[in-house]
Amino acid sequence: MGSMYAAVLFLGVQNCSSVQPVVAVERTVFYRERAAGMYSTLPYAVAQVLIEIPYILAQAVTYGVIVYAMIGFEWTVVKFFWYLFFMYFTLLYFTFYGMMAVAVTPNHHIASIVSAAFYGLWNLFSGFIIPRTRMPVWWRWYYWACPVSWTLYGLVASQFGDIKTTFDDGQSVEDYVREYLGYRHDFVGVVAAVVVGFTILFAATFAISIKVFNFQRR
């Protein structure tokens, strides 16, 4: 679980931070080309989103194949697919979040400040440092609003949520994951849908923000 947590946060933040200066520069060019009537906003935004998909897929597959083998997860088609699935869409929503942060702010410097604030919150409520079952009840709502917590839920539940092997005290891995971490293996499908939902949400917000906001200075 530590490897999953580290990969999600470090790779995700790296993707988010590295895409922001590029989007900021391209947005400046876009303002000029839109004013010249070369193309409209939505085709530009859709192209920005679609071009990231193959690159992120290559990143997720390269990372997933290497790490999955090195850690020694169970080699089944279903579990390997779930691992790649959650890593892929996680890296996607981090990248789209970085693009979205630039689209709603005047420049990538402010976008990086705004993003950093959410990195800290996502880290705290990811469910790794403090499991959901140990969080104060009045803060659990943010756990469910945190995309990283859904990613870790999906990764851990898909890999360990159905293991019947028992510890020395007789408790199975499945029961430990359910009771201590609050992860249920039969909930993986819903978690997958939510992770895809975050990806679509951030991409759509980016497209709408590019269309609505104009930070161009004359």
Side-chain angles (χ1 to χ4, degrees):
M1 186 176 177
S3 70
M4 298 171 180
Y5 162 79
V8 168
L9 261 298
F10 288 119
L11 291 179
V13 170
Q14 182 182 23
N15 277 26
C16 183
S17 301
S18 62
V19 78
Q20 289 179 343
V22 177
V23 174
V25 171
E26 291 182 351
R27 182 176 62 176
T28 303
V29 178
F30 162 71
Y31 284 148
R32 183 179 68 245
E33 294 180 345
R34 182 178 61 179
M38 298 182 67
Y39 48 77
S40 61
T41 304
L42 288 182
Y44 165 78
V46 171
Q48 285 280 80
V49 169
L50 293 181
I51 195 62
E52 295 293 339
I53 292 177
Y55 289 107
I56 302 301
L57 179 61
Q59 179 188 14
V61 171
T62 302
Y63 170 83
V65 170
I66 295 173
V67 173
Y68 198 90
M70 291 181 66
I71 292 180
F73 289 126
E74 184 178 349
W75 279 106
T76 64
V77 175
V78 174
K79 290 194 173 186
F80 183 65
F81 166 79
W82 278 125
Y83 189 83
L84 289 184
F85 176 91
F86 284 113
M87 286 305 303
Y88 175 57
F89 279 97
T90 296
L91 295 176
L92 264 185
Y93 75 60
F94 262 105
T95 303
F96 293 157
Y97 172 74
M99 296 165 61
M100 180 192 73
V102 173
V104 300
T105 54
N107 54 65
H108 71 276
H109 299 293
I110 297 177
S112 64
I113 295 172
V114 173
S115 300
F118 282 93
Y119 297 155
L121 289 173
W122 290 357
N123 179 30
L124 181 61
F125 288 93
S126 64
F128 178 79
I129 298 175
I130 306 172
R132 174 173 55 86
T133 56
R134 300 298 188 272
M135 289 182 184
V137 175
W138 56 87
W139 271 119
R140 291 184 187 176
W141 65 270
Y142 194 83
Y143 171 89
W144 297 114
C146 174
V148 177
S149 69
W150 288 93
T151 294
L152 286 183
Y153 193 131
L155 286 170
V156 175
S158 63
Q159 296 300 318
F160 304 115
D162 61 343
I163 296 179
K164 307 295 184 182
T165 305
T166 60
F167 300 112
D168 292 339
D169 61 359
Q171 185 182 37
S172 67
V173 175
E174 179 182 13
D175 292 337
Y176 175 81
V177 168
R178 180 188 293 263
E179 294 173 10
Y180 182 73
L181 299 175
Y183 297 159
R184 293 166 39 201
H185 185 264
D186 57 359
F187 200 59
V188 171
V190 176
V191 176
V194 173
V195 171
V196 174
F198 276 115
T199 304
I200 296 173
L201 173 64
F202 293 153
T205 306
F206 164 74
I208 294 171
S209 300
I210 285 290
K211 182 178 179 62
V212 174
F213 299 131
N214 188 338
F215 298 101
Q216 188 177 24
R217 294 182 179 179
R218 296 186 181 275

